[in-house]
């Protein structure tokens, strides 16, 4: 190896370039890291919920990823109405079977697809589901848009049943059932 052409100045150039690269990486890291989800959001990635206290016809609102989620235990009449709705009557056609894993339980992200308001669980609207009081969107007992300005059905979050009385919201279903949160199109 011939070191005759390597000078002290060459070493200083290489060393200062290396130190500058490390310094730039350290300076950029906080900007890159801030693009990751916040720790409190990651903590809410999955929410386990006990279904046992909910009676038929009752709707409970829980929080998942800082979004409201409706958990509804549907009555046999509500299930029948949702299953018998003609697809031609729907703005965003989707069968009830595609929206639930177990017909008795309906789990939806409670955000209107028009402008993001939260539909009222007290006002049922014309189709027995929900009414968004902001602009008058009506949803049926499967969370499908039936009337009003909302373009899409209420989204179905990913979830799986851990047992007959426990559900894990945010976890992909094990097999079959409802598809993960979607707003077709």
């Amino acid at each position: 190896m011939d070191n005759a052409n390597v000078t002290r100045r060459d070493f200083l150039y290489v060393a200062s370039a290396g130190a500058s690269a490390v310094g730039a990486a350290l300076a950029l890291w906080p900007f890159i890291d801030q693009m990751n989800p916040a720790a409190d959001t990651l903590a809410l990635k999955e929410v386990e919920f006990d279904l046992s206290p909910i009676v038929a016809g009752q709707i409970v609102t829980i929080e998942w990823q800082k979004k409201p989620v409706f958990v509804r235990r549907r009555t046999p009449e509500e299930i029948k109405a949702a299953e018998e709705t003609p697809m031609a009557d729907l703005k965003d056609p989707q069968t009830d079977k595609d929206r639930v894993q177990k017909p008795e339980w309906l789990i939806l992200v409670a955000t209107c697809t028009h402008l993001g308001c939260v539909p009222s669980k007290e006002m049922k609207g014309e189709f027995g589901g929900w009414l968004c009081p902001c602009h008058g969107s009506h949803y049926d007992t499967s969370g499908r848009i039936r009337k009003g300005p909302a373009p899409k059905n209420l989204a179905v979050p990913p979830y799986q049943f851990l047992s007959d009385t426990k559900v894990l919201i945010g976890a992909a279903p094990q097999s079959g059932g409802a598809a993960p949160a979607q707003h077709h199109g």
Side-chain angles (χ1 to χ4, degrees):
M1 219 180 213
D2 186 15
N3 290 337
N5 292 335
V6 177
T7 65
R8 191 174 203 190
R9 182 169 288 172
D10 293 334
F11 171 76
L12 289 174
Y13 286 149
V14 170
S16 60
S20 296
V22 169
L26 289 173
L28 286 175
W29 179 250
F31 298 107
I32 294 168
D33 188 48
Q34 64 89 26
M35 290 186 251
N36 289 324
D40 58 341
T41 302
L42 288 175
L44 296 173
K45 179 180 172 197
E46 296 179 342
V47 174
E48 188 174 314
F49 185 69
D50 182 12
L51 302 168
S52 58
I54 303 175
V55 297
Q58 184 179 4
I59 304 167
V60 175
T61 306
I62 62 171
E63 187 175 292
W64 168 66
Q65 295 185 347
K66 297 190 178 188
K67 294 180 263 189
V69 172
F70 288 145
V71 178
R72 182 178 193 156
R73 187 171 192 173
R74 301 190 298 178
T75 64
E77 296 79 22
E78 290 172 337
I79 295 168
K80 184 178 180 193
E83 291 175 343
E84 292 179 352
T85 300
M87 292 294 107
D89 291 355
L90 300 175
K91 234 186 208 188
D92 183 14
Q94 194 176 24
T95 66
D96 184 62
K97 189 176 183 177
D98 290 338
R99 297 181 57 74
V100 297
Q101 292 179 31
K102 296 181 179 182
E104 179 181 12
W105 295 104
L106 179 65
I107 300 172
L108 303 168
V109 176
T111 305
C112 180
T113 58
H114 177 232
L115 292 176
C117 305
V118 177
S120 172
K121 62 183 183 182
E122 282 80 33
M123 296 184 285
K124 295 195 181 253
E126 292 178 27
F127 303 94
W130 292 270
L131 171 66
C132 183
C134 300
H135 301 102
S137 292
H138 294 253
Y139 296 91
D140 68 8
T141 58
S142 189
R144 297 173 296 198
I145 182 64
R146 298 294 298 276
K147 180 180 176 184
K152 303 287 179 195
N153 300 330
L154 294 176
V156 176
Y159 67 93
Q160 70 179 7
F161 285 94
L162 302 176
S163 69
D164 286 341
T165 59
K166 291 216 185 283
V167 67
L168 184 64
I169 299 172
Q174 292 296 326
S175 60
Q182 51 194 328
H183 289 286
H184 319 297

